[in-house]
């Protein structure tokens, strides 16, 4: 049952990699209205352009563009990206929302009125249409466009950007959450673009994990004052950096996942036994055992005292029942519609069979048990996130000190043989720190994605059942193998995150602020 979210990234996905990549980068910093002028958007375009060109992108650029110039380049970009592997649009500058539509402001804006703004801006609808028209394998829209501005400060226009729906194959990344502002940055680039440039070329990271790294870096850098978020409806894996085969541990993990997938899809006890023989302590051992129980329940057609299973499930919401049985390990996690009689009824029978009083089983009890298991999994994952974020902060400081020491060594060592030996040793130390840092980041990728999945699943399926009562008095121990006292605080925190989150925060990692070291 553990870490089933790995399927989203490691199984059943078609990796995409080619030189057929096109990007349009727009940076507006110098506006006709001097009050709107910014320091970094043109620098942001320069930094990102250099990085993307090194990754075989054909790059279109607009610096300090008017609406007409932005529209012209958008049309050229859409034509050039026709049928490409990847089409990426990036905007840095001012952006605002009016009546639910987002507008990226051209530099010619004459007066600070909504009418002038619309007349001089590129709308999000135009951008989305151009990207969709290209019909690339994946379209990516990145908006570092929530810089604070006098338009919003006047009170006539809402601050920040509005959430907007994409389409199939489209990922939209925002520098900050709806209604909030992004930092232009104290250096040469904005906080968000700095994080994007740092992570966009990393090898072996699907774009969703890559943007997860970006969000994580921004949240850490701003102590949660700026929280990027992502809307996406993307199938398969897509890499901006190169996909990699992975280290020995990753290869072993992928082999186990492939074996589990084959056994699960076969749906036979022999196949599940083969998986368990090969991986008796595997990630999906609990799932395999539960599926075997479900198969037995289906073949034996058990008759329980009380209400028949078919009657219990007849009026239940199929997706919620499936989600609950998945959390508890009785069915695989899948987005496909599952016939009640073919899968869910046998799985519910297997769940029922392990209850102390199966005759009193109910769908509400199933949801309650699933909520309890979700809280336990979340609390356990939170411990890993908290530990790894603290380790990452420590490694960052160590790396900073080591890099500074290397600079001093180069200054004093000269070209002597002894000096070069010392420098070589320092370089080895730095490489070791960087390797350790990457291990922590990879763990965080997994834990971060899994925790976010648990929050969203709880909000969608079990919000009414996820309550403080499940945490109080050791109630989490039921069906979850017990819970240590140190996890209770994080279990309570998860309950609060589920209750306080809403549609507007989905796609962000706003919950990560609660785990920052020293917070």
């Amino acid at each position: 049952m553990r870490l089933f979210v790995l399927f989203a990234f490691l199984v059943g996905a078609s990796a995409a990699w080619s030189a057929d990549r096109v990007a349009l980068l727009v940076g507006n910093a110098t506006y006709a209205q001097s009050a709107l002028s910014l320091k970094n958007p043109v620098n942001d375009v320069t930094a990102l352009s250099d990085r993307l060109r090194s990754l075989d992108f054909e790059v279109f650029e607009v610096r300090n563009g008017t609406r007409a110039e932005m529209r012209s380049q958008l049309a050229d970009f859409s034509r050039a990206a026709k049928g490409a592997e990847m089409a990426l649009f990036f905007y840095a500058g001012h952006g605002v929302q009016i009546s639910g539509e987002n507008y990226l402001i051209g530099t010619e804006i004459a007066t600070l009125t909504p009418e002038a703004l619309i007349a001089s801006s590129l709308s999000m609808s135009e951008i989305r249409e151009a990207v969709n028209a290209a019909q690339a394998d994946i379209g990516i829209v990145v908006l570092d466009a929530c810089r604070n501005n006098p338009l919003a400060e006047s009170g006539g226009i809402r601050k920040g950007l509005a959430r907007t729906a994409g389409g199939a194959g489209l990922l939209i990344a925002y520098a900050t959450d709806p209604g909030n502002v992004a930092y232009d940055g104290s250096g040469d680039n904005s906080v968000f673009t700095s994080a994007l440039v740092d992570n966009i070329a990393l090898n072996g990271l699907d774009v969703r994990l890559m943007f997860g790294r970006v969000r994580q870096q921004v949240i850490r850098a701003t102590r949660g004052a700026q929280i990027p978020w992502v809307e996406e409806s993307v199938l398969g894996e897509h890499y901006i950096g190169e996909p990699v085969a992975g280290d020995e541990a990753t290869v072993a993990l992928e082999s186990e996942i492939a074996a589990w997938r084959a056994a699960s899809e076969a749906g036979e006890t022999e196949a599940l036994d083969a998986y368990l023989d090969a991986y008796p302590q595997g990630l999906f051992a609990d799932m395999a055992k539960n599926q075997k129980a479900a198969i037995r329940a289906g073949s034996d057609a058990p008759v329980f005292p009380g209400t028949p299973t078919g009657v219990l499930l007849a009026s239940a919401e199929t997706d919620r029942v499936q989600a609950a049985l998945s959390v508890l390990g009785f069915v695989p996690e899948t987005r496909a519609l599952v016939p009640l009689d073919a899968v869910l009824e046998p799985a519910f029978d297997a769940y029922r069979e392990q209850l102390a009083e199966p005759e009193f089983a109910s769908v509400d009890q199933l949801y309650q048990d699933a909520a309890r298991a979700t809280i336990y999994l979340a609390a356990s994952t939170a411990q890993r996130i908290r530990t790894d974020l603290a380790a990452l902060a420590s490694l960052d400081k160590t790396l900073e000190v080591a890099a500074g020491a290397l600079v001093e060594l180069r200054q004093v060592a000269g070209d002597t043989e002894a000096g070069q030996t010392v420098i070589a040793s320092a370089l080895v130390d730095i490489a070791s720190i960087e390797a350790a840092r990457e291990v922590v980041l990879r763990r965080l990728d997994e834990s971060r994605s899994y925790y976010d999945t648990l929050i969203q699943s709880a909000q969608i399926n079990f919000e009414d059942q996820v309550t403080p009562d499940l945490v109080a008095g050791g109630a989490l121990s039921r069906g979850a193998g017990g819970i240590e006292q140190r996890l209770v605080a994080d279990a309570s925190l998860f309950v609060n995150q589920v209750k306080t989150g809403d549609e507007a925060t989905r796609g962000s990692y706003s919950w990560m602020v609660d785990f920052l070291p020293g917070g």
Side-chain angles (χ1 to χ4, degrees):
M1 184 172 66
R2 296 165 292 170
L3 303 181
F4 213 71
V5 75
L6 287 169
F7 277 113
F9 304 108
L10 295 177
V11 175
S14 57
W17 171 258
S18 79
D20 192 13
R21 299 152 161 231
V22 185
L24 169 57
L25 313 181
V26 181
N28 288 345
T30 304
Y31 288 84
Q33 288 285 325
S34 59
L36 295 177
S37 292
L38 296 165
K39 180 168 66 78
N40 285 331
V42 170
N43 297 338
D44 294 340
V45 165
T46 299
L48 187 57
S49 177
D50 291 344
R51 189 55 56 92
L52 290 177
R53 290 182 195 278
S54 72
L55 295 166
D56 296 326
F57 274 80
E58 178 184 357
V59 179
F60 294 79
E61 297 179 15
V62 178
R63 288 177 166 83
N64 295 319
T66 63
R67 167 175 163 77
E69 290 168 339
M70 291 190 292
R71 290 191 73 192
S72 175
Q73 286 289 70
L74 183 64
D76 291 344
F77 158 75
S78 185
R79 284 191 293 269
K82 190 71 173 178
E85 177 255 315
M86 189 171 290
L88 186 153
F89 175 90
F90 170 87
Y91 176 86
H94 284 302
V96 294
Q97 57 172 302
I98 300 177
S99 301
E101 176 65 285
N102 293 324
Y103 293 93
L104 310 182
I105 305 174
T107 55
E108 80 276 25
I109 184 170
T111 59
L112 301 183
T113 64
E115 295 76 18
L117 185 149
I118 292 173
S120 61
S121 296
L122 195 62
S123 72
M124 185 62 191
S125 294
E126 293 175 283
I127 296 163
R128 194 166 52 243
E129 288 171 8
V131 174
N132 288 337
Q135 295 183 319
D137 292 346
I138 181 173
I140 301 173
V141 176
V142 183
L143 301 177
D144 193 355
C146 305
R147 316 297 171 90
N148 212 359
N149 63 76
L151 291 166
E153 291 170 359
S154 69
I157 295 173
R158 291 187 65 186
K159 185 170 62 174
L161 297 183
R163 193 160 196 155
T164 181
L170 181 61
L171 182 151
I172 305 175
Y174 296 81
T176 193
D177 48 320
N180 215 332
V181 296
Y183 291 98
D184 195 36
S186 57
D188 292 333
N189 298 108
S190 76
V191 175
F192 177 82
T193 298
S194 293
L196 182 60
V197 171
D198 285 347
N199 291 281
I200 198 167
L202 292 177
N203 294 332
L205 283 184
D206 168 81
V207 289
R208 286 159 293 201
L209 283 178
M210 186 276 291
F211 276 109
R213 290 268 187 107
V214 172
R215 284 179 277 175
Q216 179 175 285
Q217 184 169 323
V218 172
I219 290 170
R220 292 179 65 221
T222 65
R223 299 295 302 173
Q226 180 176 334
I227 302 173
W229 53 281
V230 170
E231 283 272 16
E232 60 94 1
S233 181
V234 177
L235 297 176
E237 290 185 359
H238 302 268
Y239 297 86
I240 296 179
E242 267 190 276
V244 295
D247 55 24
E248 184 176 338
T250 300
V251 171
L253 178 59
E254 290 175 348
S255 297
E256 181 188 346
I257 290 173
W260 162 246
R261 187 184 185 206
S264 179
E265 289 179 350
E268 299 173 350
T269 56
E270 294 81 2
L272 294 166
D273 283 334
Y275 168 80
L276 287 169
D277 288 343
Y279 303 97
Q281 304 298 322
L283 285 173
F284 309 104
D286 291 340
M287 290 288 293
K289 293 171 185 175
N290 286 335
Q291 279 205 36
K292 285 179 62 179
I295 292 170
R296 284 197 306 272
S299 61
D300 296 341
V303 178
F304 295 105
T307 307
T309 294
V311 175
L312 287 175
L313 298 184
S315 59
E317 297 176 51
T318 301
D319 53 351
R320 290 188 69 199
V321 171
Q322 180 183 328
L325 289 169
S326 174
V327 168
L328 294 169
F330 290 98
V331 296
E333 189 174 37
T334 175
R335 294 183 180 181
L337 293 176
V338 178
L340 281 170
D341 56 347
V343 176
L344 295 191
E345 287 189 22
F348 190 89
D349 281 340
Y351 158 74
R352 219 175 156 169
E353 195 171 30
Q354 51 86 48
L355 296 176
E357 298 178 309
E359 65 272 20
F360 297 118
S362 68
V363 173
D364 286 341
Q365 182 180 4
L366 172 69
Y367 295 156
Q368 189 89 348
D369 286 343
R372 183 181 291 108
T374 300
I375 293 172
Y376 175 78
L377 291 169
S380 301
T381 306
Q383 291 291 308
R384 292 197 299 271
I385 292 173
R386 197 183 296 282
T387 299
D388 282 339
L389 282 173
L392 185 58
S394 177
L395 286 166
D396 283 344
K397 290 180 182 177
T398 303
L399 190 59
E400 182 180 356
V401 171
L406 179 62
V407 171
E408 294 181 6
L409 279 173
R410 291 188 188 280
Q411 292 173 345
V412 301
D415 295 328
T416 65
E417 182 177 347
Q420 292 305 307
T421 300
V422 173
I423 289 173
S425 177
L427 288 170
V428 170
D429 291 341
I430 289 175
S432 297
I433 298 168
E434 290 175 338
R437 185 176 184 273
E438 183 59 25
V439 169
V440 172
L441 285 169
R442 294 279 177 177
R443 279 202 309 263
L444 275 168
D445 289 340
E446 178 185 294
S447 299
R448 190 180 59 236
S449 298
Y450 186 51
Y451 193 85
D452 199 56
T453 297
L454 290 171
I455 285 183
Q456 293 191 40
S457 177
Q459 288 173 335
I460 294 169
N461 299 300
F462 317 121
E463 185 167 2
D464 291 343
Q465 289 77 25
V466 173
T467 65
D469 292 341
L470 289 183
V471 181
L476 283 175
S477 63
R478 184 183 182 281
I483 182 169
E484 297 179 31
Q485 187 61 39
R486 64 185 177 83
L487 298 182
V488 171
D490 278 329
S492 299
L493 180 60
F494 176 76
V495 171
N496 183 64
Q497 290 165 338
V498 170
K499 296 297 185 183
T500 58
D502 55 28
E503 181 63 29
T505 62
R506 253 173 231 164
S508 74
Y509 288 146
S510 56
W511 50 263
M512 185 173 284
V513 177
D514 297 324
F515 300 132
L516 293 176

